[in-house]
Amino acid sequence: MATAIIDYGLGNLGSIHRAIEECGGDVFLAESSAQLQEAERIILPGVGAFGDGMKLLRQGGWVDPLREMVLDQKIPVLGICLGMQLLASVGEEGGTHQGLGFIQGKVVLMQVGEKERLPHVGWNNIHKKRECVLLKNIPDGADFYFVHSYHFQPQDASVVVATGDYASGFVAAVEERNVFGTQFHPEKSGPYGFQIIKNFLHYYGDEDSSC
């Protein structure tokens, strides 16, 4: 399965590329939307602000091809960190910005407690919420690496497959049909992170998988 990592100007492309290779994936960097036509899997990475991410996707001509491939052709997509947030319909970082709208919901600033700080950086365990493809063979309470100040609030709670406890709780992973997202960085999260990548690479759309 040819897996395209979208190179739109934001993201740890090298570490994601190496991780997919180590997981047995056939991976390439897509530097233009035309190259997406070769992809059977799409990775949307991202580090930075929601508004900047959407601006770069629009300027690079990525938005319409992505919507056609993901929504119409049902090509599996995995958003990582900011990439997961860009799957939302709206983001409130630095103003209100329209997202890709693959999963309805909004991205808002995390509300931290007295002894908590933003950004939320470091390892955090997650709690699985339902059966899913993405978290197959991942134990409840597994640790993953996070770096973020904003979090995704989906309209439909059923798309949430994992949460974290920081800042009164946040969505750590989402899954809706062929659309997947992790707020954490699987490429930096050791064996469990690599299992997440393998689960995505092995998704074929009609399997009956469970966490």
Side-chain angles (χ1 to χ4, degrees), residues 17-52:
H17 193 287
R18 288 190 297 273
I20 294 172
E21 284 186 325
E22 290 187 36
C23 290
D26 175 16
V27 60
F28 67 96
L29 293 182
E31 298 178 342
S32 71
S33 59
Q35 292 178 282
L36 284 182
Q37 302 307 314
E38 306 170 25
E40 298 168 281
R41 300 280 186 278
I42 298 171
I43 304 283
L44 178 60
V47 176
F50 190 101
D52 293 339

Side-chain angles (χ1 to χ4, degrees), residues 21-85:
E21 284 186 325
E22 290 187 36
C23 290
D26 175 16
V27 60
F28 67 96
L29 293 182
E31 298 178 342
S32 71
S33 59
Q35 292 178 282
L36 284 182
Q37 302 307 314
E38 306 170 25
E40 298 168 281
R41 300 280 186 278
I42 298 171
I43 304 283
L44 178 60
V47 176
F50 190 101
D52 293 339
M54 284 307 305
K55 180 180 179 180
L56 288 168
L57 286 176
R58 286 192 296 270
Q59 288 178 343
W62 295 99
V63 174
D64 288 341
L66 273 171
R67 286 176 174 161
E68 179 182 350
M69 293 190 72
V70 173
L71 299 181
D72 297 336
Q73 299 180 32
K74 306 302 181 185
I75 301 297
V77 62
L78 172 62
I80 295 174
C81 195
L82 174 63
M84 173 176 126
Q85 296 178 4

Side-chain angles (χ1 to χ4, degrees), residues 129-174:
K129 306 303 291 184
R130 67 169 176 85
E131 294 186 343
C132 59
V133 171
L134 201 59
L135 301 180
K136 185 178 180 181
N137 297 322
I138 302 293
D140 190 46
D143 282 342
F144 293 89
Y145 185 77
F146 293 85
V147 183
H148 63 121
S149 296
Y150 285 74
H151 66 131
F152 188 8
Q153 295 180 331
Q155 273 184 16
D156 182 357
S158 71
V159 306
V160 178
V161 296
T163 59
D165 291 333
Y166 199 81
S168 300
F170 65 92
V171 174
V174 294

